[in-house]
Amino acid sequence: MKDSPLPDDASVDDGRPDRVERVLRTLGKSDLDEVEVNPGQDVGRVSIVHGSSAQVIWCDHDGLEQVSTCQYATNLNLRPVAGDWVALRDQYVVSVLTRRNALRRPDPNLRDVQILAANLDLVLLVVPIDRGLNVRMLERFAVMAFDSGARPLVVLTKADGTSDATALEIQTELAVPGVDILTTSSLSGEGIEQLRQLLHEGVTAVMLGASGAGKTSLLNALEGSDEATLSVGSSGEGRHATTTRKLYRLSSGGVLLDIPGIRLVDLMSGQEGIDETFADITHIAERCRFRDCAHNGDEGCAVEASVMSGKLPASRLKSWRLIQSQLTSQSRRRDPSTAAAKRARRKRSGD
Ligand SMILES: Nc1nc2c(ncn2[C@@H]2O[C@H](COP(=O)(O)OP(=O)(O)OP(=O)(O)O)[C@@H](O)[C@H]2O)c(=O)[nH]1
Ligand SMILES: [Mg+2]
Ligand SMILES: [Zn+2]
């Protein structure tokens, strides 16, 4: 018997807030996610986006979990992506809640950015080692991961296909200093338990990697599921077995986003991710004479001096220059529209 004097129809604590919180936790809500919605609205998380609607797992008025395909309200503030927290009214998505971070890449037309997933704790850089390590690709993925603001973790896959995993782990450490590395095989099960332990309640992870890297196979190994995978061609790339971005809830309590492989590893315009991926160079560069030193024949360049003295591998500086020049040419390619706009403005103002 309750001894509360409150009338029956008042919003007494009927356990609903706890039930809602429990459902949201199973959807990967961490203490960093703020998922407050207005009265009369329900909260949910986007698991798949299809064109103009999204599959949302949400919590109903009784605190029970529901899965619905939800249309977007006409005045929706943002286009939802997998991993977004959303407010629903009558099963319409009425607002996308503030993202605490997001994984982005430039849109293929380079005019805009494409958001791949939102509200992430971990970005798993999924890199196969059965044909050696593609350092360039790893570096580019690391830049994307750092730019997202979530923690990167390298997951080396297909360890069963190499006899030299230790050497490849050392190469990985050199390519992305300071980033944790987990070596796995979906075939033998190596590393799968450790991965499972990382993906506990409150953790949202996304798998970032080339097509055929073994992302979906990791999901299947973790969950015993049977999502489609495809064999890898002679080029070492898969044929896009996964075609949609999808959020999975894991038995270990966390959630995992499987996304199609990224073929063209374009970079974001963010310098920050580059600075963090190349933390060794960033650190040495503090001693360069000029703050905007290009580490390329510049006077008083500490980075080049470190290469000369053997302290910094020349390959690191080469990688840094490559990424830096790609970044510059990308922003130039983006520029024409800006240049055209400037020309148009000048024309209009008659100068
Ligand atoms: N030997 C071996 N093969 C693996 C392993 N993991 C995946 N593969 C194979 O690699 C191929 C591609 O695996 P997927 O899991 O489909 O790769 P994906 O990264 O999801 O590819 P997309 O969905 O296209 O982005 C499949 O033929 C898998 O059987 C592994 O640990 N060992
Ligand atoms: Mg896949
Ligand atoms: Zn320099």
Side-chain angles (χ1 to χ4, degrees):
M1 252 300 272
K2 268 191 171 173
D3 54 7
S4 158
L6 287 167
D8 283 341
D9 60 346
S11 53
V12 289
D13 184 358
D14 58 355
R16 180 179 178 271
D18 288 348
R19 287 202 298 276
V20 173
E21 184 62 21
R22 254 197 316 276
V23 171
L24 298 183
R25 294 295 288 188
T26 74
L27 288 173
K29 178 177 171 282
S30 84
D31 298 333
L32 301 169
D33 288 303
E34 285 177 28
V35 296
E36 297 299 314
V37 294
N38 295 333
Q41 296 180 342
D42 300 300
V43 62
R45 194 164 199 196
V46 174
S47 54
I48 313 175
V49 169
H50 329 267
S52 59
S53 63
Q55 188 187 77
V56 180
I57 311 173
W58 58 286
C59 201
D60 72 11
H61 187 74
D62 298 318
L64 298 176
E65 180 186 314
Q66 306 287 345
V67 181
S68 313
T69 299
C70 301
Q71 306 292 322
Y72 304 157
T74 43
N75 58 349
L76 189 59
N77 55 335
L78 282 175
R79 272 194 88 75
V81 299
D84 265 328
W85 293 101
V86 289
L88 303 179
R89 189 184 285 276
D90 301 328
Q91 296 188 33
Y92 272 84
V93 181
V94 292
S95 78
V96 175
L97 306 186
T98 308
R99 293 175 180 145
R100 79 180 138 95
N101 61 34
L103 183 67
R104 304 175 171 84
R105 70 158 172 184
D107 205 57
N109 66 20
L110 290 174
R111 291 259 164 76
D112 207 352
V113 291
Q114 187 179 25
I115 298 187
L116 301 175
N119 304 311
L120 309 163
D121 299 286
L122 269 181
V123 179
L124 307 180
L125 308 174
V126 181
V127 181
I129 51 170
D130 57 331
R131 301 170 195 236
L133 180 75
N134 186 336
V135 174
R136 299 271 174 276
M137 193 168 262
L138 172 61
E139 287 162 353
R140 279 160 175 72
F141 285 137
V143 171
M144 274 179 76
F146 276 119
D147 271 329
S148 75
R151 181 163 82 92
L153 171 81
V154 179
V155 180
L156 299 175
T157 56
K158 311 191 189 184
D160 57 275
T162 176
S163 53
D164 216 359
T166 311
L168 294 163
E169 284 164 2
I170 294 170
Q171 273 188 39
T172 307
E173 262 172 46
L174 288 172
V176 283
V179 178
D180 287 337
I181 303 167
L182 182 63
T183 304
T184 67
S185 163
S186 298
L187 210 66
S188 73
E190 179 183 349
I192 300 300
E193 189 47 44
Q194 287 97 309
L195 183 57
R196 193 175 283 129
Q197 281 170 20
L198 291 168
L199 303 174
H200 52 78
E201 192 181 274
V203 171
T204 299
V206 62
M207 294 187 284
L208 176 65
S211 194
K215 299 180 291 299
T216 306
S217 302
L218 280 177
L219 170 74
N220 288 342
L222 283 165
E223 289 301 280
S225 52
D226 199 14
E227 298 291 344
T229 61
L230 264 186
S231 61
V232 177
S234 55
S235 68
E237 279 223 333
R239 289 168 288 144
H240 281 303
T242 306
T243 52
T244 41
R245 302 179 207 127
K246 185 169 174 187
L247 180 146
Y248 292 85
R249 286 189 288 176
L250 305 177
S251 46
S252 53
V255 309
L256 183 59
L257 285 137
D258 190 11
I259 65 176
I262 290 182
R263 210 177 282 270
L264 185 111
V265 188
D266 260 324
L267 281 171
M268 270 304 297
S269 53
Q271 180 69 43
E272 240 169 68
I274 297 182
D275 289 348
E276 289 188 77
T277 305
F278 292 90
D280 43 358
I281 293 185
T282 310
H283 181 67
I284 301 169
E286 285 168 11
R287 288 185 280 111
C288 290
R289 184 165 307 157
F290 301 106
R291 283 193 75 175
D292 61 347
C293 184
H295 318 319
N296 200 357
D298 305 56
E299 215 182 293
C301 175
V303 175
E304 282 188 298
S306 294
V307 173
M308 294 292 278
S309 67
K311 280 191 198 124
L312 179 76
S315 59
R316 284 295 280 171
L317 181 54
K318 199 170 156 206
S319 292
W320 182 88
R321 282 183 186 147
L322 211 76
I323 288 196
Q324 203 69 43
S325 69
Q326 192 190 350
L327 192 73
T328 316
S329 70
Q330 240 180 42
S331 44
R332 260 197 232 112
R333 266 186 286 162
R334 281 209 193 89
D335 253 1
S337 59
T338 334
K342 270 189 199 148
R343 273 198 304 277
R345 267 201 305 276
R346 267 207 306 273
K347 242 179 164 172
R348 271 200 304 276
S349 63
D351 356 306

